[in-house]
Amino acid sequence: MYRLALSFFLLTTVMLINLGLQGQPNRVSKDEVDLENLPVELVLTNLGVPKSKHSITKLDMEKAEIGRQLIFDGRVRTKTHKSKRISPYFRCTDCHNMVKENDNPTDLDPENRLAYAEKNKLPFLPAYSLWGVYNRTAFYTGGYGKVYGDKLKSAKDSIGNAIQVCTKHAASGRRLADWEIEGLLHYFKQHELRIKDLPSLNASDKKSILYWQKLDEEEKKALREKIRAAFIQVYPATLAPVLGLDQRQYGEGGNAARGELVFNKSCLHCHSGKRVSNYNLDKSKLTARFFVQNLEGFGHSNLYQVIRWGTFTKKRRKQTMPLYTKEQMSDQQIEDLVAYMKQLSKK
Ligand code: HEC
Ligand code: HEC
């Protein structure tokens, strides 16, 4: 017990010295010294990684509150600031969760994501969670280039521009004012990744994080690579083709129970009671029959196509359905959904 207390004392002292000596604006105060809660950005900066362009030195909670309202209410109502709705149709949380979607933050398997969503009562959405978005280094990459073309040029290395592309083109909404973008960034800063969010770091990594000043260049490099590999800085987006008629299983071998989960947690999140879409979906025989009748075709009424392509704006229907990439929904999950629709249509 005595030795434990002593080593704890020593550890804290060393931390205080190590972190305090930095003399940086990010200096950690006495009360805050807690390895598990150290911001990943601070640790990486100590190890020689340059800060990102959107880095925030001092979190401002009033600004973060503006960001919170934009995300969850779709507009701002504070004492000092007011704004109109970003989009008449969507809020950020219709497409993005704000919490983690997997126990292991580098796991992108959609089957595991669905299981996690079920366990933690989360929706299963077409876009990635914005959990940890503050710590990412590139945005809207991969297959989205094919969808949006040049519009994404400025979004790749600027989170602010990525948000603008997203609210305009994915959410069919307006451009955000600078103070709104700033509010969002402060909200993201408030929820930045911390050491406890990276489960792949072991005790020896954590010790090195504490004693970072003692590491030589090689060791520093190894440690920062290890930390960078412990979470995703650039999320991939792999566009999947619409399966041809002879590639489809038509639900054969699909798991209807998992298909029901996909329907509940994904499709109904937007379509139930016409919440986001004008197009109502429910768990009636009629809905199921409609999809089953259209399984061999192409177009918006066809499950294989609407999931992989999403929809496009029409004259009086500006809102569009986002497509699901391979990471967001597997071909097997589509088959599971088809199997569920077939089962429901026969009830
Ligand atoms: C209609 C669906 C939809 C809505 C609503 C929406 N987004 Fe997105 N957003 C997407 C999709 C799809 C992407 C592509 C990458 C992905 O899956 O995260 C994206 C990408 C992003 C990215 C880049 C993330 C990355 O790592 O590449 C940011 C940041 C973002 N959105 C912020 C927002 C914010 C803030 C709001 C609300 C003001 C919002 N989005 C509303 C669908 C949406
Ligand atoms: C992020 C919200 C969202 C999610 C999730 C979503 N949709 Fe949609 N969906 C829309 C929007 C918006 C439209 C555009 C049409 C409209 O709103 O009137 C649309 C259109 C459609 C249409 C075409 C309607 C037509 O006649 O043009 C179908 C079919 C459809 N969705 C099925 C699905 C299925 C199946 C799922 C689950 C795999 C799903 N949607 C998930 C928002 C969503």
Side-chain angles (χ1 to χ4, degrees):
M1 191 59 210
Y2 165 73
R3 277 175 62 186
L4 207 75
L6 180 70
S7 53
F8 181 75
F9 172 76
L10 283 176
L11 218 73
T12 337
T13 318
V14 171
M15 279 178 79
L16 278 175
I17 296 170
N18 278 340
L19 298 163
L21 273 182
Q22 276 189 110
Q24 298 296 321
N26 263 333
R27 181 198 298 250
V28 177
S29 80
K30 228 178 186 171
D31 304 329
E32 283 171 315
V33 177
D34 170 2
L35 172 74
E36 293 295 327
N37 278 317
L38 277 184
V40 171
E41 182 192 42
L42 171 66
V43 172
L44 285 174
T45 314
N46 286 345
L47 296 171
V49 178
K51 283 189 179 173
S52 66
K53 275 198 298 191
H54 61 258
S55 177
I56 288 173
T57 314
K58 194 167 178 313
L59 174 64
D60 180 330
M61 288 307 289
E62 272 173 34
K63 290 180 179 169
E65 170 60 14
I66 286 176
R68 194 195 63 74
Q69 293 191 9
L70 285 169
I71 289 169
F72 293 98
D73 308 337
R75 50 139 179 77
V76 182
R77 291 276 180 283
T78 67
K79 274 187 200 143
T80 50
H81 290 82
K82 279 195 175 40
S83 68
K84 287 199 199 122
R85 288 204 60 157
I86 299 175
S87 160
Y89 318 104
F90 292 106
R91 286 185 214 163
C92 311
T93 46
D94 292 321
C95 301
H96 297 277
N97 279 311
M98 293 293 145
V99 294
K100 69 174 177 173
E101 296 186 314
N102 224 314
D103 282 319
N104 169 0
T106 57
D107 184 352
L108 288 174
D109 183 341
E111 313 290 344
N112 294 344
R113 186 168 164 255
L114 182 61
Y116 188 90
E118 189 193 12
K119 205 171 105 203
N120 296 280
K121 302 196 165 50
L122 296 174
F124 182 71
L125 301 178
Y128 285 112
S129 171
L130 294 179
W131 180 83
V133 72
Y134 179 81
N135 297 83
R136 295 180 201 166
T137 55
F139 307 89
Y140 249 125
T141 57
Y144 285 109
K146 287 207 190 98
V147 183
Y148 294 116
D150 278 355
K151 293 177 195 120
L152 286 189
K153 260 195 190 150
S154 63
K156 190 165 175 283
D157 52 21
S158 156
I159 186 174
N161 291 344
I163 296 170
Q164 300 286 18
V165 169
C166 184
T167 52
K168 176 140 191 265
H169 299 286
S172 314
R174 63 173 170 84
R175 218 185 137 72
L176 300 187
D178 289 347
W179 61 268
E180 291 177 307
I181 294 283
E182 215 188 333
L184 286 166
L185 288 180
H186 277 264
Y187 179 83
F188 295 147
K189 168 77 181 172
Q190 185 191 355
H191 300 278
E192 71 185 317
L193 295 183
R194 293 170 188 276
I195 292 300
K196 66 177 174 213
D197 295 319
L198 311 183
S200 66
L201 298 181
N202 59 31
S204 123
D205 301 327
K206 289 181 185 175
K207 202 169 148 205
S208 306
I209 288 172
L210 278 183
Y211 294 93
W212 65 276
Q213 285 176 320
K214 299 217 169 76
L215 304 178
D216 64 28
E217 278 314 307
E218 280 299 298
E219 289 165 329
K220 273 190 193 164
K221 187 168 170 234
L223 183 57
R224 59 180 189 245
E225 289 321 310
K226 181 107 197 252
I227 295 173
R228 277 169 159 167
F231 68 102
I232 296 175
Q233 281 113 84
V234 183
Y235 275 80
T238 316
L239 298 190
V242 176
L243 292 184
L245 295 184
D246 54 352
Q247 295 171 301
R248 301 176 187 177
Q249 306 292 316
Y250 301 102
E252 197 75 34
N255 180 326
R258 252 180 278 162
E260 183 175 8
L261 265 186
V262 170
F263 194 60
N264 288 346
K265 298 204 154 282
S266 225
C267 317
L268 291 185
H269 179 72
C270 288
H271 285 285
S272 110
K274 302 191 181 179
R275 203 176 66 77
V276 166
S277 164
N278 297 313
Y279 181 68
N280 186 54
L281 287 179
D282 54 26
K283 292 169 100 163
S284 68
K285 228 172 173 175
L286 210 70
T287 296
R289 284 204 177 140
F290 171 79
F291 282 128
V292 172
Q293 276 161 12
N294 285 300
L295 284 180
E296 294 197 28
F298 290 89
H300 286 169
S301 315
N302 177 266
L303 284 177
Y304 293 98
Q305 174 156 336
V306 78
I307 290 174
R308 290 304 185 206
W309 281 24
T311 64
F312 305 98
T313 35
K314 292 183 202 151
K315 232 186 174 170
R316 246 165 291 190
R317 254 197 200 174
K318 249 187 102 196
Q319 75 270 47
T320 61
M321 172 165 150
L323 59 81
Y324 288 78
T325 62
K326 268 196 173 156
E327 290 83 10
Q328 310 302 66
M329 196 173 303
S330 66
D331 282 334
Q332 185 57 49
Q333 284 170 329
I334 300 180
E335 292 299 349
D336 294 346
L337 178 61
V338 171
Y340 172 61
M341 285 301 154
K342 284 197 157 168
Q343 192 190 68
L344 192 61
S345 71
K346 289 189 201 119
K347 274 199 173 146

